[in-house]
Amino acid sequence: METLSENACFGGVQGVYRHTSTACQCDMTFGLFLPAEAKDGPVPVLWYLSGLTCTHENAMTKAGAQAWAAEQGIAVVFPDTSPRGEGVADHEDYDLGQGAGFYVNATQTPWAPHFNMWDYVAEELPAFLAENFAIDMERQAITGHSMGGHGALTLAMNLPGRYRSVSAFAPISNPTGADWGRKQLRAYLGDDEAAWTKHDASLMMKEVGFDGPILIDTGASDQFIDLLRPEALAAAIAERRQQATYRLQPGYDHSYFFVSTFMEDHITFHAEALYGD
């Protein structure tokens, strides 16, 4: 592991680290905020998965998570959104390739060798964090924005018992039913739409749901709301009678102004689950 930076932050440390990933077959960079309590022993962790075009840095510097995480004694990890570097496949479109991993394990050429973000986030990075930092992997929660909200919801529903709570900011809620999703799922996973199901939060909600609390916020003035399809996920939640709070926030768009506005709510929501019995 290479330490790229460490800065004092709200009594804790905001670090940026690079390590060699077996899953992605390249070097990966992530951000990690550790609160002051981590000096005395392992602390619970909240995963923050970012959206299209982002790196580890966007949410780390714009979401305002550290202040609220420090107040609650929670670590926050900010993974990158895709593999990167020389030899890693890319695409001229912003919503495919580097910066657009969609949190899947790709099976198609040219993506398959590196684009294994599911395994990276679900298996490799958690093991790496547990080995190198004071983090309690028995107490995990997950959130994300846009493409990252899609990743947070699908990981939570596919890995029962892993996360105590899940939340999302403006998640891509029904990718099999929108242009933000069908294009990427076909490119990464091929034409068999049965393989797409586990990566669609609305379909997974109907099929399995989540054994824990859910909080979702979407801006009612989100410029991408037709691609996000919040109504599909809301309908699936209602049909399953899933424990969830789903809020449309009047006047808010898709930006980090929206995310940072409701970050306190989400951190508090996860803290209740992470410190509960």
Side-chain angles (χ1 to χ4, degrees):
M1 181 180 70
E2 179 184 1
T3 300
L4 301 182
S5 64
E6 288 184 332
N7 298 94
C9 184
F10 294 100
V13 176
Q14 175 61 64
V16 178
Y17 309 95
R18 180 186 294 135
H19 71 121
T20 299
S21 166
T22 301
C24 296
Q25 298 187 39
C26 64
D27 287 345
M28 295 291 289
T29 301
F30 65 92
L32 176 66
F33 171 73
L34 288 173
E37 289 84 350
K39 297 174 185 176
D40 300 319
V43 295
V45 61
L46 174 63
W47 293 81
Y48 184 100
L49 306 186
S50 291
L52 287 166
T53 75
C54 291
T55 69
H56 68 282
E57 188 174 23
N58 297 70
M60 190 182 80
T61 59
K62 296 180 180 179
Q66 293 91 340
W68 309 116
E71 189 173 288
Q72 300 288 351
I74 294 171
V76 185
V77 57
F78 306 93
D80 203 346
T81 56
S82 78
R84 299 179 191 271
E86 186 177 352
V88 176
D90 203 4
H91 197 277
E92 61 183 7
D93 294 343
Y94 76 96
D95 56 357
L96 191 64
Q98 294 187 35
F102 260 76
Y103 304 101
V104 304
N105 286 339
T107 60
Q108 305 300 301
T109 304
W111 314 108
H114 299 285
F115 280 71
N116 296 300
M117 290 300 294
W118 183 278
D119 281 353
Y120 179 69
V121 172
E123 304 299 338
E124 184 176 22
L125 188 53
F128 186 83
L129 293 175
E131 183 178 346
N132 291 280
F133 300 95
I135 292 176
D136 181 0
M137 285 300 168
E138 296 300 313
R139 292 183 292 167
Q140 297 185 64
I142 191 166
T143 188
H145 174 225
S146 192
M147 179 185 72
H150 138 81
L153 290 166
T154 55
L155 280 158
M157 286 187 276
N158 277 283
L159 299 171
R162 172 72 63 87
Y163 307 103
R164 295 195 179 187
S165 51
V166 60
S167 73
F169 300 87
I172 298 174
S173 299
N174 182 213
T176 65
D179 290 342
W180 262 5
R182 294 191 64 83
K183 169 185 176 180
Q184 293 83 1
L185 294 175
R186 178 171 284 110
Y188 293 141
L189 302 177
D191 293 329
D192 181 6
E193 296 192 16
W196 303 1
T197 300
K198 68 178 285 187
H199 300 293
D200 187 304
S202 296
L203 298 181
M204 288 301 298
M205 179 58 66
K206 290 181 180 179
E207 187 172 314
V208 299
F210 177 67
D211 186 20
I214 297 173
L215 173 62
I216 300 170
D217 280 307
T218 297
S221 297
D222 192 307
Q223 60 271 44
F224 304 113
I225 199 164
D226 290 340
L227 295 171
L228 302 176
R229 292 180 55 78
E231 66 281 358
L233 182 54
I237 288 170
E239 182 179 331
R240 189 170 186 83
R241 298 176 180 172
Q242 167 75 44
Q243 176 189 2
T245 300
Y246 202 135
R247 309 186 298 195
L248 283 176
Q249 300 290 359
Y252 286 91
D253 59 15
H254 200 70
S255 69
Y256 268 98
F257 296 111
F258 155 69
V259 172
S260 60
T261 297
F262 298 102
M263 182 56 70
E264 180 185 7
D265 287 358
H266 285 244
I267 297 284
T268 302
F269 163 80
H270 289 297
E272 290 175 356
L274 289 167
Y275 283 106
D277 294 333

